[in-house]
Amino acid sequence: SQATTPSHGRAQGRARPLLSRKTRQTLGVGAIHLTLIVGAVALMMPLAWMLSTSLKPRGAIFLFPPQWIPRPIVWQNYVEAHSAQPFNLFYRNTVLITAVSMLGTMLSSSLVAFSFSRLRWWGRDMMFLLVLATMMLPFHVTIIPQFVIFRVIGWLDTFLPLTVPTFCGGSFFIFLLRQFFLTIPLEMDDAARIDGCSTLGIYWRIMLPQCKPALMAVGIFTFQNAWGEFFRPLIYLQSKEKWTVALALRSFSGEFSTDWNLLMAASLVAIVPALVIFFFGQKYFIQGVVFTGVEK
């Protein structure tokens, strides 16, 4: 009986958990979901305020406390906003610039990434480091030299300064695609060469179909950047008939007052294409970003 006393005392002194393991797991999952819901609500607040403001009469915008559900709902704001300016022309200009930018960025960045990842040439790794170093160079450092160059060659007030540079690749997109190309086995290149495929044929027939998720991620990034670009169109586009949607939205803001209801109505319509593109392409976007960091 004396031999069993210590183990019996340890058994009695061992504290039982207040909550079972299943209960703790349920509470943990509930806390995570609650945090995500609070974060989602916080992120959706600006969009909800935009929608509410776009449907308010002008005198009800800055009421306190805020009136989230407009009374009355003024749908005419959307009609008035898009009739105040030739938005059909502005959307056409924006679509043209965005489409050419996507084509140029995806084509040039994938070609350069293919060279960095699959071809062997002198100074390749040093050149890749130089490309990565340009990511640390602020855009505002190069804007004045670029403006001077485009003015000298007569590209001001045209779409060329907004589209032609995209055919020179982007350092971040080159890095993204290069890392994705490294995940594709080299044996596929060897098999293609045995079948008589050229280097460009390997790029076009083997690599591009394999890297569709990464290309979609590059396309989504480029679309969002080009569609909502304001700074560069403001510098290079001087004629009103060449304005983009981002420049047209500025027209609702005057020197002494701003038509917030019309501005929010036009802005809400302007962001719909970006939301649609991201919604339908988020699967490829996530795959492209996840597989970028996997190197074989």
Side-chain angles (χ1 to χ4, degrees):
S1 61
Q2 292 179 355
T4 59
T5 300
S7 60
H8 181 69
R10 285 195 300 268
Q12 288 182 343
R14 190 177 302 161
R16 293 184 178 180
L18 297 177
L19 300 175
S20 64
R21 181 179 179 181
K22 184 177 180 180
T23 303
R24 292 198 303 270
Q25 291 178 349
T26 303
L27 291 177
V29 172
I32 293 175
H33 281 79
L34 180 61
T35 303
L36 293 176
I37 291 173
V38 172
V41 170
L43 292 176
M44 292 296 293
M45 287 285 286
L47 186 62
W49 186 84
M50 285 182 61
L51 178 60
S52 176
T53 304
S54 67
L55 296 173
K56 290 180 180 179
R58 187 170 185 178
I61 296 176
F62 296 106
L63 291 178
F64 187 82
Q67 189 181 69
W68 287 96
I69 301 177
R71 292 188 299 270
I73 296 178
V74 185
W75 296 103
Q76 186 65 22
N77 289 340
Y78 286 87
V79 178
E80 185 177 349
H82 287 80
S83 61
Q85 298 286 347
F87 269 91
N88 292 334
L89 176 62
F90 301 150
Y91 276 108
R92 186 163 65 246
N93 296 339
T94 307
V95 169
L96 176 61
I97 294 173
T98 303
V100 176
S101 298
M102 291 178 63
L103 175 63
T105 302
M106 296 170 69
L107 180 62
S108 59
S109 298
S110 59
L111 271 172
V112 177
F114 175 77
S115 176
F116 280 137
S117 61
R118 317 302 280 196
L119 305 182
R120 296 184 180 275
W121 42 277
W122 184 85
R124 182 190 67 173
D125 296 337
M126 184 62 66
M127 186 62 67
F128 180 66
L129 291 177
L130 183 62
V131 170
L132 292 183
T134 61
M135 296 174 61
M136 297 182 290
L137 191 65
F139 167 74
H140 303 85
V141 174
T142 60
I143 188 63
I144 295 179
Q146 287 179 356
F147 181 84
V148 173
I149 293 173
F150 294 145
R151 185 186 62 183
V152 170
I153 62 180
W155 283 7
L156 294 185
D157 201 25
T158 66
F159 296 151
L160 296 178
L162 305 176
T163 55
V164 172
T166 62
F167 286 87
C168 299
S171 55
F172 173 73
F173 300 134
I174 292 172
F175 169 76
L176 186 75
L177 291 170
R178 185 250 185 191
Q179 296 302 110
F180 195 92
F181 283 155
L182 291 177
T183 65
I184 302 176
L186 291 172
E187 289 78 6
M188 299 186 68
D189 297 15
D190 299 335
R193 287 193 176 92
I194 292 174
D195 291 337
C197 195
S198 63
T199 301
L200 285 180
I202 294 174
Y203 161 76
W204 187 259
R205 298 174 181 271
I206 305 298
M207 304 301 292
L208 286 187
Q210 294 287 330
C211 71
K212 185 168 67 172
L215 279 176
M216 289 294 296
V218 172
I220 292 173
F221 276 127
T222 306
F223 180 90
Q224 291 182 335
N225 293 336
W227 186 266
E229 179 73 39
F230 177 78
F231 187 63
R232 291 193 303 163
L234 179 64
I235 294 175
Y236 297 122
L237 301 181
Q238 301 168 358
S239 302
K240 186 175 182 179
E241 60 270 13
K242 293 184 175 66
W243 278 6
T244 61
V245 175
L247 291 180
L249 294 177
R250 186 189 57 167
S251 62
F252 293 106
S253 179
E255 183 177 359
F256 300 103
S257 63
T258 301
D259 296 325
W260 290 106
N261 51 349
L262 303 184
L263 176 60
M264 292 300 107
S267 300
L268 200 61
V269 175
I271 67 174
V272 168
L275 294 177
V276 172
I277 290 294
F278 185 80
F279 178 78
F280 286 102
Q282 60 179 335
K283 174 184 176 181
Y284 299 101
F285 173 78
I286 296 173
Q287 288 180 355
V289 174
V290 169
F291 291 144
T292 295
V294 181
E295 184 173 346
K296 294 183 180 180

